[in-house]
Amino acid sequence: GAVVSQHPSWVICKSGTSVKIECRSLDFQATTMFWYRQFPKQSLMLMATSNEGSKATYEQGVEKDKFLINHASLTLSTLTVTSAHPEDSSFYICSASADSQYNEQFFGPGTRLTVL
Amino acid sequence: AQKVTQAQTEISVVEKEDVTLDCVYETRDTTYYLFWYKQPPSGELVFLIRRNSFDEQNEISGRYSWNFQKSTSSFNFTITASQVVDSAVYFCALTPPNTGGFKTIFGAGTRLFVKA
């Protein structure tokens, strides 16, 4: 099946620093990538949808200047958490889709961010 | 509005018991897709099944089976003869038809504990 990787798998950073998370589709071209956030014992909340070469569409309540998304190629999307604060600590999951007919997404393994 | 409800927050069973995870959804679309995902403690989402709204056939895959009832807007998931390795959080999800930017709506998840 289609494989999506995320890097890093976990990161600890100091408050005020920026953190970049990469999401790659390894064996297919992803026309659309999604970024989700998951707090402990909670469901996945969609943060933004990005299509290659265009600006990401953010969900209501998600600060686009805080969470910068770049989808520069059909196999790579990045999420940068700028000036991270402890409340940004969460599990970030990306997914990628190539087959719009079935609306199927392939999920990455997630990145656990801890901001001290 | 679209919504997915998983009323069971946590379920605890003893190994070899059968267990059914409930999922009720709301949508005004006539075409949509329903999914079940498993999220083990490692965090990575594992795709289990996709069902489109026009296919009400029940499906069985090994110890897993799914019952799709469009009349009651339910898509329940049964694990037969549960095993300890089935312990995980299970998410039901709904995706509307692709209109150039589809989104997946996740339920809150059901945490399943299978005791030896």
Side-chain angles (χ1 to χ4, degrees):
Chain A
V3 178
V4 175
S5 71
Q6 271 184 250
H7 178 81
S9 54
W10 59 270
V11 56
I12 301 173
C13 69
K14 291 182 180 178
S15 191
T17 59
S18 293
V19 175
K20 181 185 281 189
I21 303 169
E22 291 187 350
C23 176
R24 292 181 185 273
S25 55
L26 299 185
D27 51 1
F28 68 101
Q29 293 189 321
T31 50
T32 307
M33 285 186 167
F34 303 85
W35 287 95
Y36 294 86
R37 183 173 183 176
Q38 186 181 29
F39 289 109
K41 296 193 176 182
Q42 292 190 25
S43 189
L44 282 74
M45 298 300 295
L46 180 66
M47 298 174 68
T49 304
S50 74
N51 293 295
E52 184 265 339
S54 60
K55 289 184 179 179
T57 302
Y58 289 80
E59 294 301 299
Q60 194 171 10
V62 178
E63 299 174 58
K64 57 183 179 183
D65 295 330
K66 170 80 173 174
F67 299 100
L68 301 178
I69 292 171
N70 184 289
H71 192 160
S73 76
L74 285 171
T75 59
L76 172 65
S77 176
T78 60
L79 167 68
T80 301
V81 183
T82 61
S83 187
H85 290 285
E87 57 266 29
D88 298 324
S89 298
S90 187
F91 192 53
Y92 292 87
I93 305 174
C94 76
S95 71
S97 175
D99 187 346
S100 60
Q101 180 183 3
Y102 295 108
N103 294 1
E104 185 168 359
Q105 300 174 46
F106 300 97
F107 287 85
T111 296
R112 192 162 302 281
L113 170 64
T114 302
V115 185
L116 302 176
Chain B
Q2 286 152 340
K3 188 178 177 183
V4 176
T5 302
Q6 292 180 257
Q8 303 149 309
T9 306
E10 290 187 359
I11 301 176
S12 185
V13 299
V14 176
E15 213 171 15
K16 296 184 184 176
E17 282 185 21
D18 297 347
V19 58
T20 295
L21 309 182
D22 297 333
C23 173
V24 174
Y25 62 93
E26 293 175 33
T27 181
R28 291 181 181 171
D29 295 312
T30 54
T31 303
Y32 49 88
Y33 293 90
L34 294 164
F35 298 82
W36 274 96
Y37 293 93
K38 174 182 180 180
Q39 187 177 41
S42 62
E44 183 165 0
L45 279 173
V46 177
F47 166 81
L48 296 178
I49 189 171
R50 175 187 64 235
R51 171 68 70 225
N52 86 48
S53 53
F54 294 110
D55 182 2
E56 285 194 73
Q57 267 194 328
N58 291 330
E59 180 152 340
I60 298 175
S61 176
R63 296 184 296 107
Y64 296 168
S65 62
W66 291 269
N67 185 307
F68 178 27
Q69 297 282 342
K70 209 168 177 179
S71 59
T72 56
S73 297
S74 66
F75 187 40
N76 296 338
F77 171 34
T78 298
I79 301 174
T80 303
S82 60
Q83 299 176 0
V84 173
V85 293
D86 295 328
S87 297
V89 180
Y90 291 86
F91 291 99
C92 179
L94 166 72
T95 301
N98 180 23
T99 54
F102 60 92
K103 301 180 194 177
T104 295
I105 297 122
F106 284 84
T110 297
R111 187 174 295 272
L112 175 64
F113 296 97
V114 181
K115 302 175 190 173

